[in-house]
Amino acid sequence: MDIEFNKREDQNRLRLSEINRLLAEIKKGGGEKRLQKLRDEGKMTARERIEYLLDKGSDSIEIGAFAGYEMYEEHGGCPSGGVVVMMGYVSGRQCIVVANDASVKAGAWFPITGKKNLRAQEIAMENKLPIIYLVDSAGVYLPMQDEIFPDKEHFGRIFRNNAKMSAMGIIQISAVMGSCVAGGAYLPIMSDEAMIVDKTGSIFLAGSYLVKAAIGESIDNETLGGATTHSSISGVTDYKAKDDKDALNRIRNIMKSLGSTEKAGFDRIESALPKEKPGNIFGIMPAARSEQYDTYEIIKCLTDNSEYEEYKADYGKSIICATARIDGWSVGIVANQRKLVKSGKGEMQFGGVIYSDSADKATRFIANCNQRKIPLVFLQDVTGFMVGSKSEHGGIIKDGAKMVNAVANSVVPKFTVITGNSYGAGNYAMCGKAYDPRLIIAWPWADLAVMGGAQAAKVLAQIQESTLKKQGKEITEQEHNEILDTISKKYQKQTEATYAAARLWTDAIINPVDTRKWISMGIEAADHAPITEKFNLGVIQV
């Protein structure tokens, strides 16, 4: 290994270390005091419940751990969006688990909480996976009710999805392990099976104080909507559990009883480790997002035996298309080449930029993978489409549109890994969040933005200075530099991987070494949902 490799490795591992440090803080939820208070009440914490429920020693991945990061600080923050979401295995069955974190504002729903719950349901619906709800929530966070209550993608959409999943035959299990109030009270009864924990679980449309205020009735919460009431009188719940572990054990027993499901039939053989160590990614990736590297070296760190079969290797070289195996699964890889390459016409093409020939190649490759029923993996390190008169006259918009069309209409499952840059329309063409990847993950140094930070800051500074000049103000060089510096810092903050993950533009920021696990578990999940649509590009300009 050379000195430059070692420098890159050190810098990139430091970034991962910082992500891990932030994650450790996030996993404390509302803080140790609040977590201990839950334990003192006879409860397990959200993460303890999930850890107990999932099969010991099995793989799991956490969706949206960074949700809410550095958001709602005027309200005290909302670590992990106040809810923990995992994809894992219960009694050997792959499933989604959603657990309210009552240490964060008593499990109340912030806007990002709703978005994260809907993302969990979306994953379950796309992949036809059972979903388990561990309920412990005070309902909508009232100071922000206008941002979580009435719209299409707000709180009510959860129950609409409950109904849709039921009609689709997707298993839903609810365990009420704390509060379950107001609109949230519909969740258990809209699940296939529901249970409630004695003394700590409660379900009601309105608590005792509101009942007193509304109709003048005096009643305590336990009598109003406790475990005995709903298991013996109302029939809302199917089982009464003596404590959290009893409820979780019952869920495990239910999952044992599930019948087999039809498979999509994605091809898998015995897995093989890459010959190139996945850890080498840290030394291959440059510390600066503008620097070049050879994407083939990244692919070798991810694929079984470091092998791949390239499609149109000598054409459209700014995008690499290849079939390969990842943890035994057959996949089609679409990756931005970040190295300066020479086109078939002998012209130099910038790394990370999509040219007409590469867009054309990728479109054909995506169609082939759909024809052969091969899941697609996008390795995104893209700065956008090539601009300028030559590209415009050559039809870059037309060729880019064909690629976007192919990505949008693809019917095989898609998985996106943001390995570096994710800028502008390149984000769309390489299957950004708007194009329905089954999972979308980022490496710690990923950048997501409409354009690169340096270019964007200059444009924004020019606009601000132009406005000031129209007001009769002359801008000195020092003032220009101050304006540029202020804008640069703000813009750079908004491009960071943590900013995107906080808003669920990505599902997770991961250790690159775990990329194979995420893709493998994602394809395994997708294999539960047979493909029922046919690939059709629709109307395109040839």
Side-chain angles (χ1 to χ4, degrees), residues 28-239:
K28 293 177 183 176
E32 190 53 47
K33 286 185 179 179
R34 291 181 182 175
L35 292 172
Q36 188 56 47
K37 184 181 177 184
L38 295 176
R39 298 183 187 107
D40 293 341
E41 292 171 356
K43 297 180 178 182
M44 302 167 77
T45 69
R47 292 185 180 277
E48 288 168 351
R49 287 166 175 165
I50 292 177
E51 183 181 4
Y52 184 87
L53 179 64
L54 295 180
D55 294 347
K56 301 297 179 285
S58 64
D59 283 336
S60 63
I61 55 178
E62 182 170 357
I63 309 294
F66 269 93
Y69 174 67
E70 292 188 335
M71 297 170 66
Y72 317 117
E73 291 183 340
E74 68 277 21
H75 296 275
C78 187
S80 237
V83 61
V84 183
V85 176
M86 289 276 192
M87 179 189 288
Y89 303 86
V90 176
S91 298
R93 298 296 297 266
Q94 194 175 23
C95 60
I96 300 292
V97 183
V98 181
N100 300 114
D101 187 350
S103 75
V104 180
K105 291 287 191 297
W109 287 50
F110 285 70
I112 197 67
T113 316
K115 188 173 183 178
K116 185 170 175 179
N117 274 268
L118 289 171
R119 177 61 179 145
Q121 290 185 320
E122 179 182 39
I123 293 171
M125 293 169 80
E126 284 179 330
N127 299 294
K128 290 185 165 56
L129 288 181
I131 185 167
I132 298 165
Y133 307 99
L134 307 181
V135 185
D136 194 347
S137 172
V140 167
Y141 182 60
L142 290 178
M144 301 188 74
Q145 63 85 27
D146 61 320
E147 297 182 48
I148 183 62
F149 168 63
D151 209 348
K152 181 178 178 180
E153 300 301 327
H154 284 179
F155 191 69
R157 188 78 171 182
I158 302 293
F159 314 121
R160 175 264 187 195
N161 286 350
N162 289 145
K164 288 289 185 181
M165 281 191 281
S166 183
M168 292 168 66
I170 296 171
I171 304 300
Q172 300 176 81
I173 303 169
S174 290
V176 180
M177 311 177 89
S179 297
C180 183
V181 301
Y186 291 105
L187 180 68
I189 201 62
M190 297 187 78
S191 299
D192 298 284
E193 297 197 55
M195 62 202 71
I196 185 169
V197 178
D198 195 20
K199 299 299 186 282
T200 58
S202 59
I203 309 171
F204 34 66
L205 294 179
S208 56
Y209 290 116
L210 187 53
V211 168
K212 177 69 173 177
I215 64 173
E217 181 184 4
S218 295
I219 189 170
D220 63 90
N221 282 337
E222 184 64 24
T223 306
L224 180 67
T228 299
T229 295
H230 286 307
S231 296
S232 304
I233 301 172
S234 72
V236 167
T237 55
D238 303 307
Y239 310 102

Side-chain angles (χ1 to χ4, degrees), residues 404-432:
V404 169
N405 206 322
V407 173
N409 286 302
S410 178
V411 297
V412 295
K414 299 166 290 192
F415 302 89
T416 301
V417 185
I418 303 174
T419 64
N421 301 316
S422 180
Y423 295 158
N427 170 282
Y428 305 154
M430 291 296 292
C431 198

Side-chain angles (χ1 to χ4, degrees), residues 439-495:
L439 294 170
I440 177 169
I441 52 181
W443 289 353
W445 43 80
D447 278 353
L448 283 81
V450 72
M451 66 174 72
Q455 303 95 309
K458 288 176 183 176
V459 172
L460 292 168
Q462 288 172 2
I463 294 170
Q464 186 171 329
E465 289 174 9
S466 177
T467 302
L468 291 170
K469 286 177 181 177
K470 286 179 181 178
Q471 296 170 356
K473 183 172 175 58
E474 288 297 320
I475 307 298
T476 66
E477 184 177 349
Q478 181 181 346
E479 288 171 329
H480 166 77
N481 291 334
E482 288 174 354
I483 289 171
L484 188 61
D485 184 60
T486 300
I487 291 173
S488 294
K489 286 178 180 177
K490 181 179 178 182
Y491 191 88
Q492 183 58 42
K493 184 71 177 173
Q494 293 176 352
T495 69

Side-chain angles (χ1 to χ4, degrees), residues 128 262 264 373 411 438 529-535:
K128 290 185 165 56
E262 186 182 356
K373 204 159 76 169
V411 297
R438 296 294 176 97
I531 297 172
T532 56
E533 300 174 272
K534 287 189 176 181
F535 176 70

Side-chain angles (χ1 to χ4, degrees), residues 318-321 334-336 353-367 376 378-380 382 384-385 395-410 414 425-431 435 535 537 540-541:
S318 74
I319 286 183
I320 300 166
C321 296
V334 181
N336 303 111
V353 178
I354 301 175
Y355 291 77
S356 284
D357 54 357
S358 51
D360 174 64
K361 176 174 79 171
T363 300
R364 296 188 189 191
F365 180 72
I366 290 166
L376 287 161
F378 292 83
L379 301 180
Q380 241 195 54
V382 58
F385 285 90
I396 185 65
I397 294 176
K398 177 181 66 177
D399 291 320
K402 285 193 289 187
M403 183 176 174
V404 169
N405 206 322
V407 173
N409 286 302
S410 178
K414 299 166 290 192
N427 170 282
Y428 305 154
M430 291 296 292
C431 198
Y435 290 79
F535 176 70
L537 271 178
I540 59 171
Q541 296 288 337

